[in-house]
């Protein structure tokens, strides 16, 4: 097993959970996962939503997800029967088939509002995850597009890749600002 690659996949996969919850809080509870790609260098997340996401909404999704990253909260995994998991509020993903026993992944705490102190994200999932949300490091959304009618896609980077992306954006902005001052 390539430990570095596995850790990057863990971070990106765990970030999809945080982004899913942030999208639902920002855009509405109609948001549901329609697909995803988790690779060592990036992630993409497809979800139901009828229109493009504004820059303000993208910023809010990033802020919400990164607030949970900064909590450095433990990521808890439990096995339970499917009915109990669903009654506890765990989200099941896009029509997947589940057995009688399911794996429930929980992470983060709600920071404010009527749900303050409650678990931020609870989903049925068999994937690999970080031990604590802080291990994700940073989540940076780098793209938003349409996939199909009523399905949007976000693309994101985590950890060192996200920091490198933001540093490159900052360098470009400074370069452009320098050119504008010359004129």
């Amino acid at each position: 097993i390539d430990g570095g690659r596995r850790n990057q996949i863990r971070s990106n996969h765990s970030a999809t959970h945080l982004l899913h919850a942030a999208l639902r809080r920002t855009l509405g509870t109609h948001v549901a996962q329609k697909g995803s790609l988790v690779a060592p260098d990036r992630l993409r997340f497809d979800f139901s939503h009828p229109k493009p996401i504004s820059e303000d909404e993208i910023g809010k999704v990033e802020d919400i997800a990164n607030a949970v990253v900064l909590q450095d909260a433990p990521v808890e995994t439990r096995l339970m029967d499917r009915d109990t998991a669903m009654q506890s509020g765990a989200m099941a993903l896009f029509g997947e088939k589940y057995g009688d026993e399911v794996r429930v992944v929980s992470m983060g705490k709600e920071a404010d509002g009527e749900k303050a102190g409650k678990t931020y994200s609870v989903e049925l999932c068999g994937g690999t995850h970080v031990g604590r949300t802080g291990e994700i490091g940073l989540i940076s959304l780098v793209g938003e597009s349409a996939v199909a009618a009523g399905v949007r896609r976000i693309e994101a980077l985590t950890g060192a890749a996200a920091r490198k992306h933001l540093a490159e954006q900052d360098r470009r902005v400074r370069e452009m600002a320098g050119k504008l001052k010359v004129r």
Side-chain angles (χ1 to χ4, degrees):
I1 294 175
D2 180 337
R5 180 179 187 280
R6 176 105 176 194
N7 285 338
Q8 290 169 313
I9 290 170
R10 282 183 181 141
S11 290
N12 287 337
H13 182 84
S14 298
T16 65
H17 288 261
L18 299 183
L19 288 168
H20 189 192
L23 286 162
R24 289 176 59 84
R25 281 155 185 76
T26 303
L27 304 176
T29 57
H30 66 279
V31 168
Q33 181 175 349
K34 295 296 181 185
S36 69
L37 168 77
V38 178
D41 61 332
R42 67 188 176 10
L43 69 91
R44 75 174 185 231
F45 187 81
D46 300 344
F47 58 97
S48 55
H49 189 61
K51 61 184 182 178
I53 305 171
S54 72
E55 287 296 321
D56 286 343
E57 290 168 330
I58 288 171
K60 188 173 180 183
V61 168
E62 269 188 341
D63 289 347
I64 292 168
N66 280 307
V68 179
V69 169
L70 289 171
Q71 289 176 6
D72 194 29
V75 175
E76 299 175 2
T77 303
R78 298 182 320 248
L79 292 176
M80 59 178 65
D81 71 83
R82 182 183 58 234
D83 293 338
T84 302
M86 299 309 287
Q87 289 169 1
S88 75
M91 288 191 55
L93 302 182
F94 59 99
E96 286 190 14
K97 306 280 189 237
Y98 296 101
D100 292 335
E101 186 175 66
V102 294
R103 191 164 173 249
V104 179
V105 177
S106 306
M107 56 182 82
K109 296 290 180 197
E110 293 285 355
D112 51 27
E114 64 186 48
K115 294 184 178 181
K118 302 238 188 232
T119 304
Y120 173 77
S121 172
V122 183
E123 293 188 26
L124 304 186
C125 185
T128 184
H129 298 88
V130 295
R132 303 186 69 83
T133 60
E135 293 173 36
I136 297 168
L138 173 69
I139 300 171
S140 180
L141 294 178
V142 298
E144 190 275 341
S145 60
V147 176
V151 180
R152 305 299 300 177
R153 170 176 288 166
I154 55 171
E155 297 178 70
L157 303 171
T158 63
R163 289 188 298 278
K164 184 177 178 182
H165 172 76
L166 293 175
E168 179 61 20
Q169 280 187 316
D170 184 56
R171 185 194 65 75
R172 287 181 185 163
V173 167
R174 289 176 198 236
E175 187 176 283
M176 288 175 69
K179 288 178 182 178
L180 290 174
K181 288 180 183 178
V182 172
R183 293 184 176 167

